[in-house]
Amino acid sequence: QVQLVESGGGSVQAGGSLRLSCASSGYTASNAYMGWFRQAPGKVREGLAVIYPGGVTTIYADSVKGRFTISQDNAKTTLYLQMNSLKPEDTGSYYCAARRRGGGFAVLAPSAYEYWGQGTQVTVSS
């Protein structure tokens, strides 16, 4: 059974940093696309960052490029999102997700992902 468990959310002032973690189990993470997604109040869920199978290639949404960094530990069992220079508009629930199937798809599209964590809340105050 695939499980994803996020942690590391919290409240921070604008300009601050947080690091989110996502512990995965039940599948071979090195063969999966892993991503971080965000859902702000009243908005649809959006893709922020994805790391490709193998852990080398990454892709970011324009809204977080240069501020957020996605990474994995060597065992590929924990996914991280380092968030710097946080802004109030970064407030929301943050989710990690996994996709085991390959093929052409929009890597930042939430609908493409099969497995989801329960989410962790990030609040950025001005």
Side-chain angles (χ1 to χ4, degrees):
Q1 182 179 358
V2 175
Q3 285 194 317
L4 301 171
V5 180
E6 302 96 336
S7 61
S11 296
V12 64
Q13 289 193 324
S17 298
L18 283 174
R19 188 174 84 154
L20 305 183
S21 299
C22 173
S24 62
S25 61
Y27 69 105
T28 304
S30 60
N31 294 334
Y33 292 82
M34 300 291 299
W36 285 100
F37 298 79
R38 175 175 69 203
Q39 188 159 15
K43 295 189 177 182
V44 298
R45 192 170 297 187
E46 61 174 330
L48 302 178
V50 169
I51 192 163
Y52 282 48
V56 176
T57 301
T58 58
I59 188 169
Y60 295 90
D62 288 344
S63 59
V64 304
K65 200 174 295 181
R67 300 189 298 123
F68 291 10
T69 302
I70 189 171
S71 63
Q72 290 175 305
D73 66 344
N74 289 337
K76 304 290 192 290
T77 58
T78 303
L79 183 73
Y80 301 103
L81 185 68
Q82 178 66 43
M83 306 187 294
N84 299 327
S85 303
L86 283 161
K87 305 175 181 180
E89 51 263 44
D90 293 318
T91 293
S93 295
Y94 284 68
Y95 301 86
C96 69
R99 175 187 169 101
R100 293 189 295 180
R101 293 177 288 117
F105 66 101
V107 294
L108 288 174
S111 60
Y113 289 77
E114 305 161 273
Y115 305 101
W116 291 85
Q118 83 288 350
T120 187
Q121 178 67 31
V122 171
T123 302
V124 184
S125 58
S126 57

